[in-house]
Amino acid sequence: MDKINSVAILGGTHGNEFSGIYLLKKWHKHPQKISRPTLNVETLLSNPKAFAANKRYLDADLNRQFRSDLLADPTLGNYEQSRAKALSLYLGTKENPKFDFVLDLHNTTSNMGPCLLLVQQHPMYNLMAGYVKLKMPQVNISRDEDHKSKEQHHLLATMGKFGVIVEVGPQPQGCLRHDVLAWMEELTGHILDFLELYNNDQLPELPKSVEAYRFLEEVKVPLDEHGERAGMVHQALEGNDFKPLKKGDPMYITFDDEVITYQGQSTVYPNFINEAAYYDNNLAMSLSEKVTIDVYSKK
Protein backbone atom coordinates (compact mmCIF):
# COMPACT_ATOMS: atom_id res chain seq x y z
CA MET A 1 0.00 0.00 0.00
CA ASP A 2 1.01 3.62 -0.52
CA LYS A 3 1.80 5.01 2.93
CA ILE A 4 0.56 8.49 3.78
CA ASN A 5 3.16 10.43 5.76
CA SER A 6 2.51 14.12 5.11
CA VAL A 7 -0.92 15.78 5.16
CA ALA A 8 -1.84 19.39 4.33
CA ILE A 9 -5.21 20.65 5.57
CA LEU A 10 -6.28 23.85 3.85
CA GLY A 11 -9.22 26.13 4.64
CA GLY A 12 -10.41 29.42 3.26
CA THR A 13 -9.76 28.58 -0.38
CA HIS A 14 -12.95 30.61 -0.67
CA GLY A 15 -12.61 33.46 1.79
CA ASN A 16 -16.26 33.61 2.86
CA GLU A 17 -16.54 29.90 3.72
CA PHE A 18 -15.85 30.17 7.41
CA SER A 19 -16.03 26.66 8.91
CA GLY A 20 -12.63 25.52 7.65
CA ILE A 21 -11.02 28.85 8.50
CA TYR A 22 -12.13 28.77 12.13
CA LEU A 23 -11.27 25.11 12.46
CA LEU A 24 -7.73 25.99 11.36
CA LYS A 25 -7.64 28.56 14.16
CA LYS A 26 -8.91 25.95 16.63
CA TRP A 27 -6.36 23.36 15.53
CA HIS A 28 -3.56 25.93 15.72
CA LYS A 29 -4.40 26.29 19.42
CA HIS A 30 -5.06 22.56 19.92
CA PRO A 31 -2.84 20.69 17.42
CA GLN A 32 -3.40 17.40 19.26
CA LYS A 33 -6.91 17.27 17.78
CA ILE A 34 -5.49 16.58 14.31
CA SER A 35 -2.33 14.81 15.40
CA ARG A 36 -1.88 11.15 14.46
CA PRO A 37 1.26 9.06 15.20
CA THR A 38 2.17 8.23 11.59
CA LEU A 39 1.07 11.55 10.06
CA ASN A 40 2.88 14.87 9.78
CA VAL A 41 -0.10 17.25 9.55
CA GLU A 42 0.25 20.90 8.52
CA THR A 43 -2.48 23.52 8.16
CA LEU A 44 -2.65 26.57 5.93
CA LEU A 45 -5.11 29.37 5.18
CA SER A 46 -5.40 29.24 1.39
CA ASN A 47 -6.73 32.71 0.55
CA PRO A 48 -5.98 35.16 3.39
CA LYS A 49 -6.81 38.35 1.48
CA ALA A 50 -10.23 37.03 0.43
CA PHE A 51 -10.92 36.04 4.04
CA ALA A 52 -9.91 39.51 5.25
CA ALA A 53 -12.32 41.02 2.70
CA ASN A 54 -15.06 38.44 3.52
CA LYS A 55 -15.29 37.56 -0.18
CA ARG A 56 -15.19 34.28 -2.07
CA TYR A 57 -12.25 35.69 -4.05
CA LEU A 58 -10.76 39.03 -5.05
CA ASP A 59 -10.05 38.53 -8.77
CA ALA A 60 -10.81 34.91 -9.71
CA ASP A 61 -11.94 31.69 -8.07
CA LEU A 62 -8.80 30.24 -6.45
CA ASN A 63 -10.18 26.71 -6.69
CA ARG A 64 -10.16 26.95 -10.49
CA GLN A 65 -6.47 27.82 -10.87
CA PHE A 66 -4.65 24.52 -10.35
CA ARG A 67 -4.55 23.01 -13.84
CA SER A 68 -0.95 22.33 -14.72
CA ASP A 69 -1.02 24.64 -17.76
CA LEU A 70 -2.47 27.51 -15.71
CA LEU A 71 0.16 27.14 -13.00
CA ALA A 72 2.88 27.18 -15.66
CA ASP A 73 1.57 30.29 -17.45
CA PRO A 74 3.58 33.37 -16.33
CA THR A 75 1.07 35.75 -17.93
CA LEU A 76 -1.61 34.80 -15.39
CA GLY A 77 -0.86 37.14 -12.52
CA ASN A 78 -4.01 38.41 -10.79
CA TYR A 79 -4.20 37.84 -7.05
CA GLU A 80 -5.68 34.33 -7.04
CA GLN A 81 -3.58 33.22 -10.00
CA SER A 82 -0.47 34.41 -8.17
CA ARG A 83 -1.69 32.83 -4.93
CA ALA A 84 -2.13 29.49 -6.72
CA LYS A 85 1.48 29.66 -7.90
CA ALA A 86 2.61 30.44 -4.35
CA LEU A 87 0.60 27.51 -3.00
CA SER A 88 2.22 25.31 -5.63
CA LEU A 89 5.62 26.24 -4.22
CA TYR A 90 4.41 25.14 -0.78
CA LEU A 91 2.56 22.00 -1.90
CA GLY A 92 4.87 21.00 -4.76
CA THR A 93 3.98 20.38 -8.37
CA LYS A 94 1.46 17.81 -9.51
CA GLU A 95 4.31 15.79 -10.95
CA ASN A 96 6.33 15.99 -7.72
CA PRO A 97 4.00 16.79 -4.79
CA LYS A 98 5.50 17.58 -1.41
CA PHE A 99 2.46 16.24 0.45
CA ASP A 100 1.06 12.75 0.27
CA PHE A 101 -2.47 13.97 1.02
CA VAL A 102 -4.22 17.34 0.59
CA LEU A 103 -7.51 17.95 2.39
CA ASP A 104 -9.40 21.08 1.28
CA LEU A 105 -12.26 22.32 3.48
CA HIS A 106 -15.32 24.02 1.95
CA ASN A 107 -18.80 25.25 2.81
CA THR A 108 -21.82 25.44 0.53
CA THR A 109 -25.07 27.35 0.89
CA SER A 110 -26.82 24.24 -0.48
CA ASN A 111 -28.43 21.65 1.78
CA MET A 112 -25.78 18.99 1.12
CA GLY A 113 -25.05 18.05 4.72
CA PRO A 114 -21.56 16.59 5.24
CA CYS A 115 -20.13 15.56 1.89
CA LEU A 116 -16.87 13.91 0.86
CA LEU A 117 -15.80 14.72 -2.71
CA LEU A 118 -13.43 12.26 -4.34
CA VAL A 119 -11.70 13.95 -7.27
CA GLN A 120 -9.46 11.10 -8.42
CA GLN A 121 -9.65 7.31 -8.70
CA HIS A 122 -7.49 4.95 -6.63
CA PRO A 123 -8.20 1.88 -4.45
CA MET A 124 -7.41 3.95 -1.35
CA TYR A 125 -10.38 6.22 -2.04
CA ASN A 126 -12.66 3.20 -2.23
CA LEU A 127 -11.51 2.10 1.22
CA MET A 128 -11.86 5.64 2.55
CA ALA A 129 -15.45 5.83 1.29
CA GLY A 130 -16.26 2.58 3.09
CA TYR A 131 -14.62 3.74 6.32
CA VAL A 132 -16.28 7.17 6.33
CA LYS A 133 -19.74 5.68 5.68
CA LEU A 134 -19.15 3.14 8.45
CA LYS A 135 -18.25 5.86 10.97
CA MET A 136 -20.54 8.67 9.74
CA PRO A 137 -23.45 7.18 7.78
CA GLN A 138 -25.02 10.56 6.96
CA VAL A 139 -22.05 11.57 4.80
CA ASN A 140 -22.76 11.83 1.08
CA ILE A 141 -19.94 10.49 -1.10
CA SER A 142 -19.50 12.30 -4.41
CA ARG A 143 -17.17 11.39 -7.28
CA ASP A 144 -16.52 14.84 -8.73
CA GLU A 145 -15.15 14.72 -12.28
CA ASP A 146 -12.88 11.83 -11.30
CA HIS A 147 -12.49 10.92 -14.98
CA LYS A 148 -10.11 13.86 -15.49
CA SER A 149 -6.37 13.45 -15.31
CA LYS A 150 -4.56 15.14 -12.47
CA GLU A 151 -3.00 17.66 -14.85
CA GLN A 152 -6.44 18.66 -16.22
CA HIS A 153 -7.99 19.16 -12.79
CA HIS A 154 -8.26 22.77 -11.61
CA LEU A 155 -8.92 21.92 -7.96
CA LEU A 156 -6.54 22.62 -5.07
CA ALA A 157 -7.13 19.12 -3.66
CA THR A 158 -5.34 17.63 -6.67
CA MET A 159 -2.03 19.20 -5.63
CA GLY A 160 -1.12 16.29 -3.36
CA LYS A 161 -0.26 12.73 -4.26
CA PHE A 162 -3.81 12.09 -3.02
CA GLY A 163 -6.50 14.56 -2.01
CA VAL A 164 -10.16 15.10 -1.22
CA ILE A 165 -12.60 17.94 -0.62
CA VAL A 166 -14.79 18.14 2.46
CA GLU A 167 -17.92 20.11 1.49
CA VAL A 168 -20.48 20.88 4.20
CA GLY A 169 -23.71 22.87 4.19
CA PRO A 170 -26.08 24.58 4.33
CA GLN A 171 -24.20 27.60 5.62
CA PRO A 172 -24.64 31.20 4.43
CA GLN A 173 -21.59 32.93 3.06
CA GLY A 174 -19.62 34.83 5.67
CA CYS A 175 -21.37 33.06 8.56
CA LEU A 176 -20.79 30.20 10.96
CA ARG A 177 -23.21 27.44 11.97
CA HIS A 178 -22.45 25.17 14.90
CA ASP A 179 -23.89 22.03 13.29
CA VAL A 180 -22.06 22.59 10.01
CA LEU A 181 -18.71 23.28 11.69
CA ALA A 182 -19.18 20.21 13.90
CA TRP A 183 -19.89 18.02 10.85
CA MET A 184 -16.75 19.32 9.15
CA GLU A 185 -14.62 18.66 12.23
CA GLU A 186 -16.03 15.16 12.65
CA LEU A 187 -15.57 14.24 8.98
CA THR A 188 -12.00 15.57 8.98
CA GLY A 189 -11.26 13.50 12.08
CA HIS A 190 -12.58 10.34 10.42
CA ILE A 191 -10.41 10.98 7.35
CA LEU A 192 -7.30 11.38 9.52
CA ASP A 193 -8.24 8.27 11.50
CA PHE A 194 -8.64 6.37 8.24
CA LEU A 195 -5.19 7.45 7.04
CA GLU A 196 -3.65 6.34 10.34
CA LEU A 197 -5.35 2.94 10.21
CA TYR A 198 -4.50 2.60 6.52
CA ASN A 199 -0.82 3.24 7.27
CA ASN A 200 -0.84 0.56 9.96
CA ASP A 201 -2.86 -1.96 7.97
CA GLN A 202 -5.43 -1.94 10.78
CA LEU A 203 -8.65 -0.98 9.00
CA PRO A 204 -11.75 -2.59 10.50
CA GLU A 205 -14.05 -4.75 8.43
CA LEU A 206 -15.73 -2.40 5.99
CA PRO A 207 -18.97 -2.65 4.01
CA LYS A 208 -18.35 -4.32 0.68
CA SER A 209 -19.98 -1.45 -1.20
CA VAL A 210 -21.33 2.06 -0.57
CA GLU A 211 -23.63 4.34 -2.54
CA ALA A 212 -22.12 7.41 -4.11
CA TYR A 213 -22.98 10.11 -6.64
CA ARG A 214 -21.01 10.76 -9.82
CA PHE A 215 -21.07 14.22 -11.40
CA LEU A 216 -22.80 14.44 -14.78
CA GLU A 217 -23.24 18.12 -15.63
CA GLU A 218 -24.02 21.61 -14.39
CA VAL A 219 -27.32 23.17 -15.47
CA LYS A 220 -28.45 26.78 -15.61
CA VAL A 221 -31.65 28.47 -14.55
CA PRO A 222 -34.01 29.54 -17.36
CA LEU A 223 -32.68 32.55 -19.27
CA ASP A 224 -34.52 34.93 -21.58
CA GLU A 225 -33.44 36.04 -25.03
CA HIS A 226 -31.16 38.66 -23.44
CA GLY A 227 -29.39 36.15 -21.25
CA GLU A 228 -31.14 37.44 -18.14
CA ARG A 229 -32.66 35.19 -15.50
CA ALA A 230 -36.20 34.23 -16.37
CA GLY A 231 -36.85 31.98 -13.40
CA MET A 232 -35.51 30.21 -10.34
CA VAL A 233 -35.31 26.79 -8.69
CA HIS A 234 -38.78 25.44 -7.88
CA GLN A 235 -39.62 25.19 -4.20
CA ALA A 236 -40.32 21.46 -4.58
CA LEU A 237 -36.64 20.96 -5.42
CA GLU A 238 -35.12 23.55 -3.10
CA GLY A 239 -33.14 21.98 -0.26
CA ASN A 240 -33.44 18.45 -1.66
CA ASP A 241 -29.80 17.85 -2.52
CA PHE A 242 -28.99 14.20 -3.36
CA LYS A 243 -32.71 13.36 -3.59
CA PRO A 244 -34.01 11.75 -6.81
CA LEU A 245 -35.27 14.01 -9.60
CA LYS A 246 -37.45 12.14 -12.11
CA LYS A 247 -38.90 13.06 -15.48
CA GLY A 248 -41.91 15.33 -14.92
CA ASP A 249 -40.82 16.58 -11.49
CA PRO A 250 -40.88 20.38 -10.98
CA MET A 251 -37.42 21.84 -11.53
CA TYR A 252 -37.84 25.59 -12.14
CA ILE A 253 -40.56 28.22 -12.00
CA THR A 254 -40.40 31.28 -14.25
CA PHE A 255 -41.24 34.78 -13.10
CA ASP A 256 -44.42 34.37 -15.17
CA ASP A 257 -45.35 31.43 -12.90
CA GLU A 258 -44.69 28.76 -15.52
CA VAL A 259 -43.50 25.50 -13.95
CA ILE A 260 -40.68 23.86 -15.89
CA THR A 261 -40.28 20.15 -15.23
CA TYR A 262 -37.27 17.88 -15.57
CA GLN A 263 -37.32 16.18 -18.98
CA GLY A 264 -34.37 13.81 -18.74
CA GLN A 265 -35.01 10.14 -19.35
CA SER A 266 -32.94 8.93 -16.39
CA THR A 267 -33.42 9.75 -12.72
CA VAL A 268 -30.71 12.13 -11.49
CA TYR A 269 -29.62 13.39 -8.09
CA PRO A 270 -29.11 17.18 -7.95
CA ASN A 271 -26.61 18.80 -5.61
CA PHE A 272 -25.25 22.28 -5.09
CA ILE A 273 -28.91 23.28 -5.56
CA ASN A 274 -29.23 27.08 -5.68
CA GLU A 275 -25.63 27.57 -4.49
CA ALA A 276 -25.22 31.31 -3.93
CA ALA A 277 -21.64 31.37 -5.24
CA TYR A 278 -22.76 30.18 -8.67
CA TYR A 279 -25.24 33.00 -9.33
CA ASP A 280 -22.65 34.91 -11.36
CA ASN A 281 -22.75 32.07 -13.91
CA ASN A 282 -26.54 31.51 -13.63
CA LEU A 283 -25.89 27.93 -12.52
CA ALA A 284 -28.85 26.32 -10.79
CA MET A 285 -27.34 23.00 -9.66
CA SER A 286 -25.18 20.04 -10.58
CA LEU A 287 -26.73 16.77 -11.68
CA SER A 288 -25.30 13.42 -10.62
CA GLU A 289 -26.06 9.77 -11.17
CA LYS A 290 -26.15 7.26 -8.35
CA VAL A 291 -23.28 4.77 -8.47
CA THR A 292 -21.91 2.02 -6.27
CA ILE A 293 -18.34 2.05 -4.99
CA ASP A 294 -16.83 -1.41 -4.59
CA VAL A 295 -14.92 -0.74 -1.38
CA TYR A 296 -12.32 -3.46 -1.93
CA SER A 297 -11.87 -2.86 -5.65
CA LYS A 298 -8.29 -2.56 -6.81
CA LYS A 299 -9.26 0.03 -9.44
Side-chain angles (χ1 to χ4, degrees), residues 47-286:
N47 198 336
K49 287 189 176 181
F51 171 52
N54 191 16
K55 292 182 176 180
R56 181 176 173 88
Y57 54 80
L58 299 187
D59 295 322
D61 191 329
L62 180 59
N63 208 31
R64 304 294 184 270
Q65 307 306 318
F66 292 94
R67 270 192 357 232
S68 292
D69 61 322
L70 300 180
L71 290 170
D73 189 340
T75 68
L76 301 178
N78 69 31
Y79 172 66
E80 273 80 17
Q81 291 164 346
S82 300
R83 182 63 181 162
K85 293 176 173 63
L87 286 169
S88 180
L89 292 176
Y90 171 70
L91 296 169
T93 64
K94 293 195 177 188
E95 298 77 16
N96 189 25
K98 295 179 181 179
F99 286 86
D100 296 324
F101 196 89
V102 171
L103 175 54
D104 194 20
L105 304 176
H106 286 263
N107 290 123
T108 174
T109 64
S110 303
N111 188 30
M112 290 171 60
C115 186
L116 175 63
L117 275 64
L118 308 176
V119 296
Q120 299 283 280
Q121 294 192 46
H122 188 276
M124 188 193 70
Y125 295 123
N126 302 332
L127 293 169
M128 181 184 293
Y131 182 83
V132 165
K133 287 293 281 187
L134 178 69
K135 295 296 182 178
M136 198 174 177
Q138 71 270 39
V139 169
N140 291 303
I141 308 291
S142 177
R143 308 206 76 136
D144 185 40
E145 299 187 68
D146 61 0
H147 60 281
K148 288 185 177 179
S149 71
K150 210 175 181 190
E151 291 70 27
Q152 292 174 316
H153 249 300
H154 52 237
L155 301 172
L156 174 56
T158 62
M159 293 301 293
K161 184 176 181 181
F162 301 100
V164 297
I165 297 173
V166 167
E167 185 84 56
V168 189
Q171 181 164 286
Q173 296 173 339
C175 293
L176 284 164
R177 276 184 52 156
H178 181 193
D179 55 348
V180 170
L181 186 142
W183 279 334
M184 181 177 284
E185 184 169 24
E186 181 182 356
L187 180 49
T188 299
H190 290 314
I191 292 169
L192 294 174
D193 289 342
F194 166 81
L195 295 175
E196 177 70 16
L197 292 167
Y198 180 87
N199 280 344
N200 291 308
D201 198 18
Q202 293 179 346
L203 287 170
E205 184 175 351
L206 302 175
K208 290 184 172 58
S209 63
V210 296
E211 284 188 346
Y213 303 89
R214 173 167 277 129
F215 171 83
L216 294 172
E217 62 175 331
E218 296 174 325
V219 293
K220 293 189 175 185
V221 295
L223 303 175
D224 64 18
E225 64 273 17
H226 305 294
E228 300 289 335
R229 283 177 169 257
M232 55 189 166
V233 173
H234 194 281
Q235 64 179 348
L237 183 55
E238 187 72 64
N240 285 315
D241 295 73
F242 297 111
K243 302 291 177 59
L245 179 67
K246 304 182 297 295
K247 184 175 182 178
D249 288 345
M251 193 171 184
Y252 307 112
I253 185 166
T254 72
F255 300 128
D256 296 321
D257 296 324
E258 175 192 358
V259 175
I260 300 175
T261 59
Y262 175 64
Q263 291 301 306
Q265 297 302 311
S266 301
T267 298
V268 292
Y269 298 81
N271 51 78
F272 287 107
I273 298 173
N274 207 16
E275 164 60 55
Y278 299 160
Y279 265 55
D280 56 353
N281 292 318
N282 290 315
L283 295 176
M285 67 198 76
S286 295

